[in-house]
Amino acid sequence: MVIALPEDMLREEAAAVDASPYKTVQASPGAAEMARLREMLAAAERPMMLLGGTTWTAQAAGDITAFAEANRLATASTFRRQDRIDNLHPCYAGDLAIGPSPKLAERVREADLIIAVGSRLSEIVSSSYTLFDVPRPRQSLVHVHMGVEELGRVYQAELPINAGMVNFAAAARALKPIDSSAWAASTEAAHTEYLEYSLPVSNPGALQLAEIVSSLRDQLPRDTIVANGGATLPAGCIASGAIATSARNWGRPAAQWATVFRPAWPPRSRIRSARSCRSRATAAS
């Protein structure tokens, strides 16, 4: 990104009053909305929860994980939001991103209830708008989003909830758990399918990137921060409770920010971009 500034702004001084730190304002879900959510979950046979969006905190992630666990609810993350739930949690079903697992995509299509928390259900998450019918999805849809303008913009949810992630996750955790025996086996199968989809596959050339990343996954501590920039690592190869950041050409800045966010965690490793690894593989072959 390049920002062009007038020359006088570069050399002249100006006096300004310092602003206070930004304060996040989040809406809270109503009691009637949460009661309706519980009714819909109780009536479902093939429910799934999708996690995405921003303004999550560690507490909110813990609360939504507790909600999923209490109800044995199959839960998928969305594009670049894999850290919303531990990827090794028994309820985790994978991530809806670019090139999702075909079995996960089919589970979303066949679900009778989708609880989308934080995600806009954008083009990437919806596989180019093929997972949900527009404007009325086949699945019953509970859409939770912090921006009221997003609710109903593309999909007309049966239950739209305008709420921030912190407040909604806390309210969801406080709900009395549902008898989940009807879908518990399906949730277990979804997690097994995710683990199978995470197994390394061979790529052309001498350098097998998936094997390298899988080896790192097995050897690095679970609290390792992985900053991946420049390209996309093989699906599911980094599967742990670690914070994972993936953005084109922003791997190094992400790693630097991670050391600010968690100063007590010393850097343990540096992973070169997948593009660099592919270039070396090409040269080796």
Side-chain angles (χ1 to χ4, degrees):
M1 177 183 294
V2 177
I3 300 177
L5 298 175
E7 184 177 352
D8 58 348
M9 293 185 65
L10 300 177
R11 54 184 171 80
E12 294 184 4
E13 296 183 356
V17 178
D18 292 337
S20 301
Y22 175 76
K23 296 179 176 62
T24 302
V25 178
Q26 295 192 15
S28 297
E33 294 172 322
M34 297 307 295
R36 177 56 180 153
L37 167 61
R38 189 177 185 279
E39 291 175 358
M40 294 175 67
L41 183 57
E45 296 180 355
R46 300 177 305 279
M48 284 199 69
M49 182 163 63
L50 311 180
L51 304 180
T54 59
T55 73
W56 289 84
T57 64
Q59 181 63 50
D63 286 343
I64 207 66
T65 298
F67 170 67
E69 185 173 313
N71 296 280
R72 292 189 285 186
L73 187 58
T75 302
S77 59
T78 57
F79 186 51
R80 291 177 177 168
R81 299 293 185 264
Q82 288 96 323
D83 61 337
R84 299 302 182 256
I85 183 173
D86 186 342
N87 294 181
L88 294 181
H89 191 280
C91 290
Y92 188 66
D95 62 300
L96 285 175
I98 299 173
S101 163
K103 290 184 178 181
L104 174 59
E106 186 62 23
R107 284 187 176 276
V108 173
R109 290 190 184 94
E110 296 300 321
D112 60 354
L113 173 65
I114 295 292
I115 305 174
V117 185
S119 174
R120 295 188 298 111
L121 301 179
S122 60
E123 179 181 4
I124 291 179
V125 175
S126 64
S127 293
S128 297
Y129 302 101
T130 61
L131 298 183
F132 313 103
D133 291 343
V134 179
R136 291 286 297 174
R138 300 182 304 277
Q139 311 91 328
S140 294
L141 175 62
V142 177
H143 196 181
V144 184
H145 201 274
M146 59 182 292
V148 67
E149 71 283 351
E150 193 63 40
L151 298 172
R153 187 176 69 88
V154 177
Y155 298 107
Q156 296 177 356
E158 184 173 338
L159 178 60
I161 300 178
N162 178 215
M165 302 304 97
V166 172
N167 297 334
F168 174 81
R173 182 173 191 169
L175 288 177
K176 183 179 179 180
I178 299 295
D179 178 7
S180 55
S181 57
W183 60 76
S186 178
T187 297
E188 182 179 348
H191 183 62
T192 299
E193 290 170 359
Y194 159 70
L195 294 177
E196 292 173 348
Y197 190 68
S198 302
L199 295 175
V201 294
S202 299
N203 59 260
L207 183 64
Q208 297 298 310
L209 180 59
E211 295 286 353
I212 294 173
V213 177
S214 295
S215 178
L216 289 171
R217 177 196 61 193
D218 296 338
Q219 296 182 57
L220 292 175
R222 281 178 56 83
D223 61 351
T224 299
I225 298 177
V226 179
N228 167 36
T232 302
L233 292 175
C237 285
I238 293 292
S240 69
I243 297 175
T245 304
S246 174
R248 184 169 296 277
N249 297 326
W250 284 91
R252 186 180 296 275
Q256 292 172 334
W257 171 246
T259 61
V260 174
F261 182 65
R262 293 288 175 85
W265 289 359
R268 291 193 175 93
S269 66
R270 180 192 304 172
I271 301 176
R272 298 185 65 88
S273 73
R275 180 182 299 123
S276 174
C277 290
R278 282 200 303 270
S279 298
R280 294 186 179 189
T282 301
S285 60

